[in-house]
Amino acid sequence: SLRRNPRARISCFVDVDEKRRNEVAALEDGIVTAASLEEAIDRREEIQIDGVIICSPTAHHFAQVKLCIANGIPIMCEKPLSMNHEEIGQAYHLASEANVPLLCGYQRRHDPSYVALEKALSEGKVGDVRTIRSCSRDNPVPSMHFLKISGGIMHDCASHDIDLCLWMAKEDPCEVFAMASAFNKEIGAIDDWDTVMITLKFPSGKLASIELSRHAPYGYDQRLEVLGVSGMLQVENRRPTTLVTSLESGISVDPNCFSFPQRYTDTYAIEVDHFLDIIQKGVQPKVDGESCRKVAIIADRAHEACKLGKPLPLQF
């Protein structure tokens, strides 16, 4: 998305893997590489750095965000910014004090379909909301290498859906309950789950449910449904084409997009464009620190609810 955007260019690519660095450097002229973010920042006299996009393993996010803030560099960081809600609050506090923009990468906030649904809700198209239902099923099953460093399904996967539910509900939940299973023995062996159900209750009486699975053999599956007093709003899956084939034997359409890079190709481009607007035009990030902090708290409590087998109150 960044390489295709005419408003910016990749000045430096950072990775601990030398082979990967060389592959990216070969993509186009002018890309400098570094083995660490510290090295890249130390070389700012030769490398123009107007912003940093962080997509390293979750465990490194907080330290890398703080390093950028200390050097006055605007940041877009892949979610979660940290698995510790106190660190998230600290990062946003430091960014605010230093007047450094910080955008957390909940990409569905930028997706045209989800944006249209939220707009319809805000305009009262379906009246007061009663229930919100989010479904996220992965394809393909993530590698064990990734899952071991992902931070677990609650922070890696559920955090997207939790953020979505809070965005649509326009209020903070007061209670969470969750159940989970590990059908994949390898995933169970690292004390994680591959199948999760989460329920959120809100002070107004709204209910939200989140269904997660690491395995959807029919293709990447992400849907949202919001039921209001006067109607329902839905975001459905995208397919590679809109072709419908109708024959005597039946009607067929394309399968779902293979995985998230295909489903969110346009969304990632919009997100990058928003980050550039933050840097170049001074617009406010669409995702704020309080939202990120609350998502982390809910993810932690959902994990705890799974372990304890009972609903838990939420306080922010």
Side-chain angles (χ1 to χ4, degrees), residues 62 81-82 84-96 102 289-290 292-293:
F62 180 56
L81 196 148
S82 169
N84 183 314
H85 67 88
E86 292 181 352
E87 289 185 347
I88 293 173
Q90 182 184 346
Y92 273 94
H93 175 71
L94 291 171
S96 177
L102 173 56
E290 268 302 280
C292 297
R293 191 182 68 83

Side-chain angles (χ1 to χ4, degrees), residues 1-13 20-32 53 76 265 268-273 275-276:
S1 296
L2 185 57
R3 288 183 64 217
R4 292 196 302 269
N5 196 305
R7 299 170 60 191
R9 64 178 180 83
I10 300 173
S11 60
C12 182
F13 176 77
R20 178 65 176 151
R21 294 200 304 270
N22 292 337
E23 288 172 348
V24 172
L27 292 175
E28 60 184 69
D29 293 337
I31 299 179
V32 177
I53 297 177
M76 184 172 92
T265 300
Y268 289 128
I270 294 169
E271 184 179 38
V272 167
D273 221 40
F275 182 48
L276 296 177

Side-chain angles (χ1 to χ4, degrees), residues 235-275:
V235 170
E236 294 291 348
N237 285 307
R238 286 185 61 182
R239 297 184 172 91
T241 76
T242 60
L243 176 66
V244 178
T245 302
S246 300
L247 303 171
E248 184 178 356
S249 57
I251 299 173
S252 64
V253 297
D254 283 355
N256 292 350
C257 290
F258 177 72
S259 195
F260 65 89
Q262 293 78 32
R263 164 60 182 87
Y264 290 111
T265 300
D266 295 339
T267 303
Y268 289 128
I270 294 169
E271 184 179 38
V272 167
D273 221 40
H274 175 58
F275 182 48

